[in-house]
Amino acid sequence: MLIRTRRDFMRDAIRTVSAAGVLGALGKFGEINAFAQSGSGYQALVCIFLTGGNDGHNTVIPIQTAQQGFSLYQNARAGMGLAQGSLLPIHNGNDVYGLHPSLPEIQSLYNSGHAAVLANVGMLVKPITRTDYDTNNSSILPNALFSHSDQQSQWQTSIPTGLGSTGWGGRMADLLQGSNAGATFPSTASMSGSSLFLTGQQTFAANVPGGSATLLNTVNSARAAGLQQLLTFNNGLQLVQAADDTLGRGVSYANALSAALASSTLATQFPLTGADGSPNLLATQLQTVARIIKVRQVLGLSRQIFYCNLDGFDTHGGQLDIQASLLSQLSQAVSAFYQATQEIGVDQNVTTFTASEFGRTLTPNGSGGTDHAWGNHHFVIGSGVKGGQFFGQFPLLTLGGAYDATSRGSLIPTTAVDQYGATMAQWFGVNSANMATIFPNIGNFQTTNLGILG
């Protein structure tokens, strides 16, 4: 006779739930903290993190502006530059820019007024100049500026000079718990594993696997019933009981989401595979986000924050081909998601924005790629966006110039992540008085709302 330990049973039960769908690494979701706020109507934020450091210089390119022409870009980029004739033109007033040729869907969204560009944003402690940077004063510079792990953490926590245990998305969810009182599913959900961005003090994100509806069905079996009995048994051991409670909540949320999605479908077609047959994992994630948004009322949610991820942007070699493929996935996926929000009727209420730990150097590295840098350009998308225009200050692409920290084209940001995030937070319903709770350094910046959202 096989004697199975409690650990064996829990391990297999966890596999049952994990294979079926949602495992929420969830804390005290139902608790309301002392600063909790509520908002009216429905709103959602969708963060798309371009992991590895997307090359913004080849994403948004000045063709002819009041400050610079295409030749400045060409000279700085050397062999990494794109041909002017391949670029997709967009206008910011009288200035002409070009998008990467893999972004036709985003070009269409921009030209129709549903997408905007935020120029040269990055992690800052406070506004600085090239002279400030050269002093190497650690009190005014983010830690480990060109480190992937450090900059990913800082972007997601908005803590530039230390380690953060919560993300600014999670802290927003903490403040707005009152908007989702009585919900049967968390207000934050990651489509790409555990997310520091969504971790709060009272709210922790559900991890939802992207894919077909069958992934979101819990298994109705004797094993699942036995697991439920075990989880509700009070054994008196606090650590074990806490683990039981967490897993129990995960099962409960999986069941709630599965039931809500059972009869919900979308007409919008998502590009789940590319022309070469390779999967578009971002499209899969955004399709799942759209399906969850569609059942928001069934789940009792009026505020939601989502995290998606597109990896592979650490292009030290082979950048031209790699970035072209990744940006094509981004453009097609974002366009389909925007169409889905129109289908659902929430395109005015859902804002999608890109993020990435840093940009890349203007000058190539000699290996067909570029190296880690600092400031970067990002997209904000939705019908509530003041689209068809640029926000922030687009830098001069002069090597060794006033914007260049390293003389290789590492841009010193002229807009801070704090300002980017605070703009989202104010639109989302966070009161200005509580903004420093989410962004501790926001007081160092004169402008806290960039005006991107209406």
Side-chain angles (χ1 to χ4, degrees):
M1 178 179 178
L2 177 64
I3 300 175
R4 307 184 72 240
T5 66
R6 185 180 193 281
R7 179 179 296 174
D8 293 332
F9 189 92
M10 290 292 287
R11 179 198 62 214
D12 290 344
I14 289 171
R15 286 175 181 167
T16 299
V17 179
S18 181
V22 183
L23 270 181
L26 299 157
K28 297 173 285 185
F29 177 71
E31 295 183 9
I32 308 297
N33 78 17
F35 299 102
Q37 301 168 207
S38 63
S40 59
Y42 175 77
Q43 286 178 288
L45 289 170
V46 182
C47 174
I48 300 175
F49 205 91
L50 309 178
T51 302
N54 177 46
D55 186 342
H57 298 305
N58 273 9
T59 303
V60 184
I61 300 154
I63 294 177
Q64 186 60 58
T65 76
Q67 288 188 306
Q68 58 191 315
F70 187 74
S71 60
L72 198 59
Y73 161 83
Q74 275 185 315
N75 294 336
R77 292 255 79 178
M80 197 54 60
L82 301 174
Q84 182 175 343
S86 72
L87 303 180
L88 305 175
I90 59 173
H91 292 79
N92 180 43
N94 294 324
D95 292 338
V96 182
Y97 291 85
L99 296 182
H100 190 284
S102 292
L103 298 172
E105 296 84 4
I106 289 181
Q107 178 199 32
S108 178
L109 286 168
Y110 181 93
N111 288 337
S112 63
H114 303 311
V117 173
L118 176 57
N120 198 24
V121 59
M123 182 53 60
L124 290 170
V125 178
K126 58 183 291 187
I128 66 167
T129 64
R130 172 68 186 266
T131 301
D132 294 328
Y133 176 83
D134 288 341
T135 66
N136 197 28
N137 183 344
S138 61
S139 68
I140 63 172
L141 293 177
N143 290 345
L145 261 177
F146 308 116
S147 156
H148 284 294
S149 58
D150 290 278
Q151 290 305 298
Q152 287 170 16
S153 173
Q154 290 174 32
W155 257 88
Q156 294 187 38
T157 64
S158 196
I159 308 295
T161 56
L163 296 176
S165 60
T166 61
W168 57 269
R171 296 195 293 271
M172 277 199 289
D174 284 346
L175 284 169
L176 291 167
Q177 286 185 76
S179 297
N180 296 309
T184 58
F185 191 75
S187 61
T188 56
S190 171
M191 306 297 112
S192 183
S194 297
S195 165
L196 180 57
F197 170 68
L198 296 179
T199 300
Q201 290 289 349
Q202 285 79 35
T203 57
F204 295 82
N207 297 331
V208 183
S212 66
T214 57
L215 288 175
L216 296 167
N217 294 326
T218 52
V219 178
N220 183 12
S221 65
R223 178 181 291 175
L227 171 63
Q228 197 62 42
Q229 280 189 324
L230 186 58
L231 293 175
T232 55
F233 174 72
N234 187 350
N235 53 46
L237 300 175
Q238 289 186 351
L239 288 177
V240 173
Q241 196 63 48
D244 288 352
D245 291 344
T246 298
L247 183 56
R249 280 189 291 270
V251 172
S252 173
Y253 296 139
N255 287 330
L257 185 57
S258 296
L261 292 176
S263 59
S264 173
T265 60
L266 282 172
T268 301
Q269 296 298 305
F270 279 77
L272 302 182
T273 57
D276 61 356
S278 60
N280 186 332
L281 299 180
L282 179 61
T284 300
Q285 294 173 54
L286 288 173
Q287 183 185 54
T288 304
V289 171
R291 293 188 65 204
I292 295 173
I293 289 174
K294 186 171 182 180
V295 297
R296 65 198 182 280
Q297 293 176 328
V298 177
L299 298 172
L301 292 165
S302 63
R303 288 290 188 280
Q304 292 183 276
I305 308 175
F306 298 93
Y307 176 85
C308 298
N309 178 267
L310 182 59
D311 201 354
F313 287 93
D314 191 20
T315 48
H316 291 283
Q319 175 175 306
L320 291 176
D321 289 339
I322 293 171
Q323 190 188 31
S325 175
L326 291 171
L327 291 182
S328 179
Q329 292 179 54
L330 171 68
S331 187
Q332 292 176 24
V334 162
S335 176
F337 179 69
Y338 176 74
Q339 291 172 45
T341 63
Q342 289 182 305
E343 176 190 335
I344 299 167
V346 293
D347 51 295
Q348 285 281 349
N349 310 97
V350 177
T351 297
T352 303
F353 64 98
T354 62
S356 191
E357 59 260 45
F358 40 57
R360 305 196 77 82
T361 55
L362 261 170
T363 57
N365 58 16
S367 300
T370 53
D371 297 323
H372 304 173
W374 197 353
N376 210 346
H377 313 312
H378 288 288
F379 298 112
V380 185
I381 297 156
S383 290
V385 173
K386 296 178 182 177
Q389 58 184 309
F390 281 47
F391 294 85
Q393 183 179 353
F394 202 94
L396 283 172
L397 303 183
T398 305
L399 295 175
Y403 295 93
D404 186 0
T406 64
S407 296
R408 292 192 59 208
S410 180
L411 302 182
I412 297 172
T414 44
T415 296
V417 173
D418 290 48
Q419 295 170 288
Y420 191 18
T423 300
M424 303 293 169
Q426 289 183 46
W427 174 82
F428 201 59
V430 175
N431 291 335
S432 298
N434 289 330
M435 202 59 68
T437 303
I438 302 171
F439 304 100
N441 291 313
I442 194 64
N444 293 338
F445 303 96
Q446 184 175 3
T447 302
T448 59
N449 191 327
L450 301 172
I452 303 173
L453 295 160

